[in-house]
Amino acid sequence: MSLQRSLRNGLFPTYCQLCQTPIKQTGLCHICHAALPLFSNSEVDLFARPDIERMFYLPHCDGLSACGWYQGALARWLKQVKYNNSRVAMKVLRQIITAHWHRLNLENLIDIDACILVPVAKTRHIFRGYNQVYQTWAPLLKQVNLPIIDVIGKHSAPSQVTMQKLARKQSAQQAYFLKRALTHKRILLIDDVITTGATINHISALCKEAGATQIWAFATCLTET
């Protein structure tokens, strides 16, 4: 460790975001990380779980993966990133996403040509200055050499936070549009939270219509309904 880093760590120590144990870099200690209620690394395709298959009707998706349920600390960190651009919460989520990705070994189990990150509307992106999905997922995808392609756009639309299932479906159908063809592409479609599946369902349908041969959805969290 460099003298500069040693001095910085001495003056500004870093602590686990759950138990406050001193650690080397922002995030979670290995004990708290291991204790998170994440999906098992044997649950690569969550459609194999009858309870999840009943919750999310995603007929255009060929597989579904996620880190965990949208609850507790995971929900809190996602909200902090989405609404406050919290760098601490962002680093915690990156740590969780990266570790879970490598545990699943997904890139060696399915063929992926490119990744699509669910976009935010241009006006919202300008107002916030960031897309929370990109903030949390892009570093990992670059690390594993999976290209991110910009093929889905989004019109300005009301927030879906308070919408019921039917309203979310109608909003998603009106909000997203395709920019170009995806002939013979195998796509990894990524979002931060899947609540009803309306957004993922509509975007995956657009991708299949554009020629994609496979859509695998991956969310940081699923909302239990």
Side-chain angles (χ1 to χ4, degrees), residues 152-164:
I152 298 292
K154 184 180 183 183
H155 301 295
S156 295
S159 171
Q160 293 187 358
V161 172
T162 60
M163 290 184 183
Q164 299 300 313

Side-chain angles (χ1 to χ4, degrees), residues 81-85 118-133 135 153-163 168 171-172 175-176 191-192 199:
V81 171
K82 184 173 184 177
Y83 299 113
N84 305 113
N85 197 21
V118 172
V120 296
K122 185 177 292 186
T123 52
R124 188 164 296 170
H125 193 281
I126 292 171
F127 177 75
R128 283 185 185 165
Y130 59 91
N131 175 348
Q132 72 277 2
V133 184
Q135 296 277 69
K154 184 180 183 183
H155 301 295
S156 295
S159 171
Q160 293 187 358
V161 172
T162 60
M163 290 184 183
R168 281 175 176 263
S171 177
Y176 297 96
D191 204 355
D192 54 349
T199 295

Side-chain angles (χ1 to χ4, degrees), residues 44 62-65 101-102 104-117 137 140-142 144-149 182-190 212-219:
V44 178
D62 302 286
L64 172 66
S65 299
W101 174 275
H102 290 305
L104 292 181
N105 194 29
L106 195 63
E107 69 269 33
N108 292 320
L109 296 178
I110 64 171
D111 294 317
I112 302 168
D113 296 314
C115 303
I116 295 175
L117 307 184
W137 277 88
L140 167 66
L141 298 177
K142 291 175 182 177
V144 297
N145 297 313
L146 286 176
I148 300 169
I149 55 175
L182 291 169
T183 307
H184 305 309
K185 294 293 185 184
R186 295 161 296 189
I187 299 296
L188 182 67
L189 178 57
I190 299 172
T213 56
Q214 173 187 282
I215 306 293
W216 193 286
F218 203 132

Side-chain angles (χ1 to χ4, degrees), residues 14-223:
T14 304
Y15 300 96
C16 171
Q17 294 302 304
L18 287 178
C19 72
Q20 299 304 303
T21 299
I23 54 177
K24 292 182 179 180
Q25 56 188 0
T26 302
L28 303 175
C29 69
H30 69 280
I31 295 174
C32 288
H33 191 172
L36 287 174
L38 304 177
F39 293 124
S40 165
N41 56 8
S42 64
E43 297 177 304
V44 178
D45 186 359
L46 293 170
F47 284 144
R49 283 183 48 163
D51 59 331
I52 291 179
E53 188 180 30
R54 285 193 298 270
M55 287 181 204
F56 303 102
Y57 178 64
L58 303 173
H60 307 290
C61 291
D62 302 286
L64 172 66
S65 299
C67 296
W69 293 111
Y70 184 66
Q71 58 190 22
L74 280 174
R76 183 173 72 252
W77 292 322
L78 279 163
K79 289 175 184 176
Q80 289 172 348
V81 171
K82 184 173 184 177
Y83 299 113
N84 305 113
N85 197 21
S86 167
R87 295 185 63 82
V88 171
M90 187 189 311
K91 289 180 179 180
V92 172
L93 289 174
R94 286 176 179 175
Q95 177 187 358
I96 293 167
I97 290 166
T98 299
H100 198 65
W101 174 275
H102 290 305
R103 282 198 299 269
L104 292 181
N105 194 29
L106 195 63
E107 69 269 33
N108 292 320
L109 296 178
I110 64 171
D111 294 317
I112 302 168
D113 296 314
C115 303
I116 295 175
L117 307 184
V118 172
V120 296
K122 185 177 292 186
T123 52
R124 188 164 296 170
H125 193 281
I126 292 171
F127 177 75
R128 283 185 185 165
Y130 59 91
N131 175 348
Q132 72 277 2
V133 184
Y134 188 92
Q135 296 277 69
T136 51
W137 277 88
L140 167 66
L141 298 177
K142 291 175 182 177
Q143 175 189 324
V144 297
N145 297 313
L146 286 176
I148 300 169
I149 55 175
D150 179 20
V151 296
I152 298 292
K154 184 180 183 183
H155 301 295
S156 295
S159 171
Q160 293 187 358
V161 172
T162 60
M163 290 184 183
Q164 299 300 313
K165 189 169 185 177
L166 179 59
R168 281 175 176 263
K169 180 179 179 181
Q170 293 170 339
S171 177
Q173 290 173 341
Q174 296 168 2
Y176 297 96
F177 60 92
L178 197 71
K179 297 180 181 180
R180 60 183 172 87
L182 291 169
T183 307
H184 305 309
K185 294 293 185 184
R186 295 161 296 189
I187 299 296
L188 182 67
L189 178 57
I190 299 172
D191 204 355
D192 54 349
V193 182
I194 297 179
T195 301
T196 64
T199 295
I200 290 292
N201 209 21
H202 182 59
I203 293 178
S204 58
L206 287 175
C207 291
K208 285 287 181 74
E209 290 171 8
T213 56
Q214 173 187 282
I215 306 293
W216 193 286
F218 203 132
T220 308
C221 288
L222 303 179
T223 300

